[in-house]
Amino acid sequence: MNSVIKPLGDQGIRVELGNVISPLINQRVHQLVEAVESSKWNGVFEAVPAYTTVTVYYNPLIISYELLKKRLREKAQQLLSSVAIKRRKVILPVFYGGDFGPDLEYIAKHHSISEEDVIRFHTEPNYITYMIGFSPGFPYLGGMVDKLTTPRKKNPRAMVKAGSVGIAGSQTGVYSVDSPGGWQIIGRTPVPLFQPKEETPTLFKAGDLITFQSISKKEFEEISLQCKNGTYEAAVL
């Protein structure tokens, strides 16, 4: 594995572990993050994973760029002989269609399949959370079947409700907060993805596996009430 290491400003360094989005490269990304965090190098205070890169933030007055670059290259090389990481799996309930999934019908017609097929194709995979971004707790997910690949909306909505599940190109994701957005919305989860007052404010983290589970409107309302009462526990495996 040939890594490319470059400076990012005067307090960051970026390690590129590949140039395509794939489960294998993303596994290496998270292995490198774990390796950096466990090393506890003096002067290094954060390692941030993305699709194919790890960005490490550091204090140049404590550790030099050249020394950190050398250590990161050594860690990246060690990943060649490392074993697969264990990923956390989260099952996310979703009510598809209706007012919560206004673009479900469009996607079905776009691919000449039924709405039931869209739901089936969407709930079958285990998705990898490649990165968290756009808004706090928003998971960018890879692994969607090609049959559902659909362009973004030409005219984004001014407001998309938190919990909305969408498709954009070959990716799927879940809106963590109310915000504008151009993804094709096919459903909504009653489970909050971002709770800023909690000790762990986001439900997902980069590297998680996510599976969507289709639920009824009644189940949506029941889970929503449990979430408000603080009695709902996310299915984490």
Side-chain angles (χ1 to χ4, degrees), residues 46-79:
E46 187 175 18
V48 180
Y51 284 101
T52 61
T53 64
V54 176
T55 301
V56 178
Y57 294 97
Y58 67 101
N59 185 338
L61 299 178
I62 299 177
I63 184 171
S64 71
Y65 168 79
E66 290 300 331
L67 176 57
L68 181 55
K69 179 179 179 179
K70 178 182 177 181
R71 290 180 175 178
L72 288 171
R73 189 173 299 283
E74 290 173 351
K75 290 293 184 183
Q77 285 300 119
Q78 291 172 8
L79 297 182

Side-chain angles (χ1 to χ4, degrees), residues 94-105:
V94 175
F95 177 70
Y96 289 90
D99 293 338
F100 290 170
D103 299 317
L104 180 64
E105 181 181 3

Side-chain angles (χ1 to χ4, degrees), residues 100-154:
F100 290 170
D103 299 317
L104 180 64
E105 181 181 3
Y106 167 78
I107 291 180
K109 290 182 177 178
H110 181 78
H111 295 285
S112 300
I113 58 179
S114 68
E115 294 182 18
E116 289 74 18
D117 283 337
V118 174
I119 297 171
R120 178 168 59 86
F121 291 143
H122 192 258
T123 54
E124 283 179 349
N126 287 321
Y127 297 93
I128 295 177
T129 307
Y130 279 106
M131 61 181 291
I132 301 293
F134 170 58
S135 60
F138 183 105
Y140 283 90
L141 307 177
M144 188 176 69
V145 297
D146 293 338
K147 297 175 183 178
L148 295 183
T149 297
T150 310
R152 295 168 58 96
K153 299 183 72 66
K154 293 182 180 179

